[in-house]
Amino acid sequence: MNFLRNTLGVLAGLTVAALIITLGVKIDSSWITYKQFAPFSHWELLLQSVQGKDSFYIALLFFGGLGVTFGGVVTAMIVKYAKVAYAILIGFIMLFIAMLDIIIYPYHPVFYKISIFLIFFPFSWIGGKITEVIYERRKKRAKQLQTKNQKPQA
């Protein structure tokens, strides 16, 4: 049962990350060279059209970091154990996809190629830690309420 829950968590985290990246790519109407909602089926044409526009790659890094953070939060909320590890898995998968993107399509600037390593892992870790801190605070509050309710009233 945990295997299905963990798989669902990872898939939900990746979906959230892809959705945020998709919305980030749509932020500037001059970048849109496709009619579908998601740009991924026309990724090469999109990269060719924004070649030399560093603002696109900065936005892609920003929304990639944001997507991995929220994807890590969603994943950590769904899985039962090892929340931070599964959130980091989201960052690893997204880094792998970004590396494939760089290898397949030669249109990326050098700063983007270097920055993806600095973005995906730390931001996915932050997403997992956010969820872990929230859960720990919730447990602490519940324990305090339980001890308060158990004290005899004079």
Side-chain angles (χ1 to χ4, degrees):
M1 189 64 183
N2 275 343
F3 175 75
L4 292 175
R5 185 175 183 167
N6 295 344
T7 304
L8 176 69
V10 169
L11 291 175
L14 289 173
T15 303
V16 167
L19 181 66
I20 291 174
I21 291 170
T22 298
L23 294 174
V25 168
K26 289 179 167 274
I27 204 162
D28 188 354
S29 62
S30 69
W31 299 338
I32 300 173
T33 59
Y34 50 91
K35 295 198 185 308
Q36 290 83 8
F37 176 73
F40 304 117
S41 60
H42 303 285
W43 193 246
E44 184 173 14
L45 293 173
L46 175 65
L47 290 178
Q48 284 176 348
S49 69
V50 297
Q51 191 174 11
K53 294 180 183 178
D54 289 343
S55 60
F56 172 79
Y57 293 101
I58 291 170
L60 190 59
L61 284 171
F62 175 77
F63 285 103
L66 199 64
V68 170
T69 301
F70 284 112
V73 167
V74 168
T75 299
M77 287 172 53
I78 294 173
V79 299
K80 194 169 187 174
Y81 304 108
K83 296 178 179 302
V84 177
Y86 278 100
I88 290 174
L89 179 63
I90 297 298
F92 177 74
I93 292 170
M94 293 301 289
L95 177 65
F96 181 74
I97 292 169
M99 289 300 298
L100 282 177
D101 178 39
I102 289 171
I103 291 169
I104 294 171
Y105 305 116
Y107 308 112
H108 303 82
V110 174
F111 79 89
Y112 177 80
K113 294 175 184 179
I114 295 169
S115 297
I116 60 169
F117 293 101
L118 304 172
I119 297 292
F120 288 120
F121 278 126
F123 281 87
S124 62
W125 176 79
I126 288 170
K129 282 309 255 187
I130 288 170
T131 307
E132 189 175 74
V133 167
I134 290 170
Y135 275 88
E136 290 300 319
R137 284 186 182 172
R138 196 179 288 171
K139 281 183 189 177
K140 192 176 181 180
R141 277 193 204 133
K143 193 180 230 184
Q144 287 173 348
L145 281 172
Q146 188 178 23
T147 56
K148 182 180 175 183
N149 290 338
Q150 287 179 353
K151 288 184 180 178
Q153 305 264 327

